[in-house]
């Protein structure tokens, strides 16, 4: 099995979790033994989030999508953003806030779950009353945490340990953009994303009655 950052291997990771006897759980009570807390911080693309969400639903997997209200790359208040939240919920996923410190506006769109965007060490793991901070206890512990940040698993791709039931429980951070758009490096993957985005933007311009001749 090659640990490439594409949707085929992503599906293999999900299935490895099932073979290892894990359940896909939402943040809240716990963490319980045998739970996988599959988390997606959506930094760049709602399109990528939705494609990953559909794939997970096909595999009977439920995840937590943390969305930004202050992204420079997408607008959660637009019709596209509103539809994305509806679709994520319809597919059985949880939706929380990917917040930019110190702003923490948890309105009715979100479950009380927060991850900080590019957090600094001094507030990253601070607990927040009434809210689950995914970087705080009890859900954050380095031995039971894996992240694909910048297309690199710092402690290795987790598929083998998942298949063997090696983790008591696990929080996994997966950025959909890295898997939906393909490239051998983060730079190439981002360029693939921008090419797809350009095509999508041209369609949006045409739909907005902009003459493109
Ligand atoms: Zn792998
Ligand atoms: Zn982020």
């Amino acid at each position: 099995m090659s640990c490439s950052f594409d949707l085929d291997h992503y599906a293999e990771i999900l299935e490895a979790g099932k073979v290892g006897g894990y359940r896909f759980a939402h943040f809240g009570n716990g963490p319980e033994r045998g739970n996988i807390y599959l988390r997606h911080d959506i930094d760049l693309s709602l399109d990528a989030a939705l494609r990953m969400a559909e794939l997970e639903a096909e595999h009977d997997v439920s995840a937590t999508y943390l969305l930004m209200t202050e992204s420079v790359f997408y607008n959660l208040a637009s019709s596209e953003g509103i539809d994305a939240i509806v679709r994520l919920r319809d597919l059985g996923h949880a939706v929380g806030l990917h917040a930019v410190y110190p702003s923490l506006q948890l309105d009715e769109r979100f479950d009380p779950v927060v991850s900080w965007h590019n957090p600094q060490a001094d507030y990253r793991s601070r607990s927040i009353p009434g809210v689950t901070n995914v970087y705080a206890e009890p859900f954050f512990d380095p031995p039971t945490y894996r992240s694909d940040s910048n297309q690199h698993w710092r402690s290795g791709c987790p598929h083998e340990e998942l298949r063997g039931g090696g983790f008591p429980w696990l929080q996994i951070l997966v950025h959909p953009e890295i898997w939906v758009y393909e490239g051998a490096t983060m730079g190439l993957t981002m360029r693939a994303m921008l090419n797809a985005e350009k095509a999508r933007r041209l369609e949006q311009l045409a739909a907005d009655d902009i003459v493109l001749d």
Side-chain angles (χ1 to χ4, degrees), residues 8 20 26 35 53 59 71 79 81 107 109 118 121 127 134 188 204 206:
D8 287 343
H26 292 160
N35 279 0
H59 287 264
S71 172
S79 58
D107 59 48
R109 291 174 289 182
N118 293 341
S127 48
V134 299
L188 290 171
Q204 287 175 329

Side-chain angles (χ1 to χ4, degrees), residues 187-200:
L188 290 171
T189 300
M190 291 296 94
R191 283 167 178 82
M193 179 186 78
L194 291 173
N195 288 337
E197 187 70 4
K198 181 178 177 185
R200 206 175 63 83

Side-chain angles (χ1 to χ4, degrees), residues 41-43 68 98 115-119 175:
D41 287 355
I42 308 306
D43 293 321
M68 301 184 77
H98 192 40
S115 65
W116 296 115
H117 177 62
N118 293 341
H175 296 85

Side-chain angles (χ1 to χ4, degrees), residues 1-212:
M1 196 178 290
S2 89
C3 291
S4 45
F5 289 88
D6 57 38
L7 290 177
D8 287 343
H9 189 51
Y10 183 65
E12 287 171 343
I13 294 170
L14 298 179
E15 290 302 320
K18 290 192 210 167
V19 170
Y22 294 95
R23 300 173 295 275
F24 289 85
H26 292 160
F27 294 94
N29 295 326
E32 279 172 37
R33 192 171 183 87
N35 279 0
I36 293 176
Y37 300 93
L38 181 54
R39 164 185 153 215
H40 303 300
D41 287 355
I42 308 306
D43 293 321
L44 306 173
S45 167
L46 291 173
D47 257 23
L50 290 172
R51 284 184 58 188
M52 183 157 274
E54 302 274 354
L55 177 79
E56 287 163 345
E58 286 164 20
H59 287 264
D60 275 322
V61 165
S62 181
T64 300
Y65 283 80
L66 296 138
L67 306 178
M68 301 184 77
T69 57
E70 300 172 44
S71 172
V72 294
F73 295 100
Y74 64 84
N75 179 2
L76 201 59
S78 70
S79 58
E80 215 174 62
I82 292 164
D83 291 349
I85 293 178
V86 170
R87 187 65 186 146
L88 290 171
R89 298 262 189 212
D90 282 351
L91 291 168
H93 301 296
V95 176
L97 178 66
H98 192 40
V100 180
Y101 188 85
S103 172
L104 190 61
Q105 308 254 321
L106 264 173
D107 59 48
E108 68 288 345
R109 291 174 289 182
F110 307 106
D111 301 335
V113 181
V114 166
S115 65
W116 296 115
H117 177 62
N118 293 341
Q120 299 296 310
D122 58 331
Y123 61 81
R124 182 176 124 125
S125 298
R126 204 183 290 158
S127 48
I128 307 166
V131 175
T132 297
N133 171 5
V134 299
Y135 285 119
E137 287 184 337
F139 289 102
F140 187 80
D141 189 24
T144 51
Y145 182 74
R146 288 288 187 280
S147 163
D148 68 351
S149 292
N150 275 304
Q151 205 160 317
H152 174 68
W153 294 106
R154 212 174 304 169
S155 307
C157 176
H159 83 257
E160 228 166 88
E161 262 174 288
L162 281 173
R163 179 171 296 165
F167 300 103
W169 60 274
L170 185 68
Q171 180 185 160
I172 314 178
L173 169 57
V174 166
H175 296 85
E177 300 88 351
I178 292 175
W179 302 78
V180 166
Y181 303 108
E182 289 184 28
T185 64
M186 187 67 177
L188 290 171
T189 300
M190 291 296 94
R191 283 167 178 82
M193 179 186 78
L194 291 173
N195 288 337
E197 187 70 4
K198 181 178 177 185
R200 206 175 63 83
R201 289 292 187 192
L202 283 167
E203 283 170 25
Q204 287 175 329
L205 286 167
D208 215 36
D209 295 334
I210 303 295
V211 176
L212 296 166

